[in-house]
Amino acid sequence: MSLLFGLTVAAPAQAASIGTGAVSIKGQSSELVPGATVEIRQGDCSGPAVWRTTTGNTPSAYGAFGIGLAPGAYCVVTLSVPAPYGMPANTPFQMGSGTGNWVTVWLPGPLAGAVVAKNSLGYGINGVTAFIRQGSCASAGQGVWQNITATNQWSSGGFGISLLPGTYCTSVLDVPWDYSAPQPVETVVSAPGPIWITIWLASRTVQGQGDSVISIATQSRQKIVEFTCADCTSNVIVEAVGPNQTFDLLINRIGSYPSGRMLVGFLDWTDSNYNQISVHASGHWTLRILDLDMIRQAGSTISGTGDDVVYMDTPGVVATFSNHGTSNFVVWATDPTYGIDLKVNVIGDYWGTVPMTSPSVVQITSDGPWTITTW
């Protein structure tokens, strides 16, 4: 103690240590949220207020703010939030001395993600119109989102979405002509994000009996036709037809046709448009339209039975073909010099080696089992 003008004065009290840190206001996908007003209360959530602020949108304080408080118990009480976020529960926290006191308040709100349409191989499909509504698929609900899948900078066959937690039903309103519309997909959206809703599309399948015409919309070497008519007994003719009297004879067989695949416009010297598939058959038949990515792929060896189109992806300069059949055995292959080159054209059984540069797309006409080996 010291004596001053006859008065006794106590020494100054030691200041309590102050803790520092920050409070972040975040949505369910961890996005920082500006425009939220909060209050920090001492002790429990009903204690006296010691801090009040609104999160800003400047780069240095976006959705967060710094704090400096004496060590102890506190509670963040949210007073208001911007739409479409909901009010969160109170957030108690313990303030320690020194730095590094980080507090996060999680706001109930939308979760970001995407709707993606895919075929059976997992490739994205553009042009699918998807509609999302609230509630389960078993009951009616309010629509909340509708868009068309498209290619963006990250992937193909999707579009971005943002949904509040809850149950949703995604149905397909429209698909490209060569796909069938799938059943609705039910999704439960919950934190944390992101959310992904995948729509799986099956290739378009058409069933019929006798002669028929199916509408398509494709160009040369873009679609594969898969055809089956096991109970056919007479001529089976399947051809692609273009608007300018362009024709591509895909199948010409007599009797049963168990199954086969042919590439539309494979032999076209210049690209052509096709808008119909004409079927002439006496029995019950099934026809599927497949994307080019559904082609059968092989390394240096592949086997099959009947008509087919395959992709040999191993480098080579020759190919050995074997065939056991009674009718035409015809093999065409893409070639870096000739474009498309006829490799084999015989009737009945065959075994032989011919020049063929691979990788190559190969189209086979056969009524029996066959094998291709490249090297």
Side-chain angles (χ1 to χ4, degrees):
M1 289 188 294
S2 62
L3 186 63
L4 181 62
F5 299 113
L7 297 177
T8 301
V9 179
Q14 186 69 31
S17 173
I18 298 295
T20 59
V23 175
S24 300
I25 312 298
K26 291 186 176 182
Q28 297 297 303
S29 295
S30 294
E31 72 278 17
L32 288 164
V33 179
T37 300
V38 299
E39 189 173 81
I40 299 178
R41 297 178 182 175
Q42 193 172 26
D44 61 26
C45 298
S46 61
V50 297
W51 204 291
R52 178 184 289 190
T53 191
T54 299
T55 55
N57 59 5
T58 62
S60 60
Y62 191 92
F65 59 91
I67 54 174
L69 297 169
Y74 295 88
C75 179
V76 180
V77 178
T78 303
L79 303 180
S80 66
V81 296
Y85 295 96
M87 295 292 288
N90 295 334
T91 306
F93 69 97
Q94 192 72 28
M95 193 74 179
S97 60
T99 60
N101 292 275
W102 308 110
V103 183
T104 301
V105 177
W106 295 97
L107 303 185
L111 293 134
V115 171
V116 181
K118 295 183 178 182
N119 65 15
S120 60
L121 294 180
Y123 292 99
I125 305 300
N126 294 331
V128 177
T129 303
F131 173 69
I132 304 175
R133 59 179 173 82
Q134 293 175 330
S136 71
C137 294
S139 59
Q142 177 68 38
V144 295
W145 209 283
Q146 181 175 320
N147 208 342
I148 300 174
T149 61
T151 297
N152 56 41
Q153 59 182 320
W154 298 285
S155 63
S156 295
F159 57 81
I161 57 174
S162 180
L163 298 173
L164 293 166
T167 300
Y168 296 87
C169 181
T170 303
S171 56
V172 172
L173 304 182
D174 192 27
V175 296
W177 65 269
D178 48 342
Y179 287 95
S180 299
Q183 293 297 312
V185 177
E186 190 168 296
T187 306
V188 176
V189 174
S190 60
I195 50 175
W196 303 105
I197 300 175
T198 302
I199 302 169
W200 294 98
L201 300 182
S203 298
R204 180 185 176 197
T205 300
V206 181
Q207 294 181 321
Q209 181 179 7
D211 297 348
S212 186
V213 175
I214 298 104
S215 296
I216 64 170
T218 189
Q219 290 185 317
S220 305
R221 294 175 291 276
Q222 296 299 311
K223 298 293 179 180
I224 298 169
V225 169
E226 182 181 87
F227 187 78
T228 301
C229 188
D231 64 353
C232 279
T233 57
S234 59
N235 282 5
V236 177
I237 299 175
V238 179
E239 59 184 349
V241 183
N244 299 319
Q245 299 302 307
T246 304
F247 294 90
D248 181 17
L249 182 60
L250 302 173
I251 300 169
N252 187 6
R253 192 71 56 82
I254 296 177
S256 175
Y257 190 83
S259 186
R261 288 183 171 188
M262 301 296 278
L263 185 58
V264 175
F266 183 71
L267 301 181
D268 292 347
W269 292 107
T270 58
D271 286 348
S272 298
N273 294 318
Y274 294 93
N275 60 358
Q276 293 178 338
I277 297 292
S278 174
V279 177
H280 175 75
S282 59
H284 298 82
W285 50 263
T286 299
L287 182 147
R288 288 206 304 159
I289 308 294
L290 307 176
D291 272 345
L292 192 57
D293 54 38
M294 299 288 284
I295 192 171
R296 285 214 296 147
Q297 298 191 32
S300 59
T301 300
I302 191 169
S303 297
T305 300
D307 298 341
D308 208 346
V309 55
V310 300
Y311 177 61
M312 312 294 295
D313 64 4
T314 299
V317 293
V318 296
T320 297
F321 299 93
S322 66
N323 178 70
H324 299 284
T326 59
S327 187
N328 289 354
F329 177 57
V330 182
V331 180
W332 293 87
T334 55
D335 186 277
T337 301
Y338 302 103
I340 300 171
D341 193 30
L342 179 63
K343 301 301 180 183
V344 181
N345 186 7
V346 299
I347 295 177
D349 291 348
Y350 176 83
W351 188 95
T353 299
V354 299
M356 190 183 90
T357 301
S358 57
S360 178
V361 177
V362 184
Q363 184 162 283
I364 306 104
T365 299
S366 174
D367 67 347
W370 49 262
T371 298
I372 305 173
T373 301
T374 62
W375 71 88

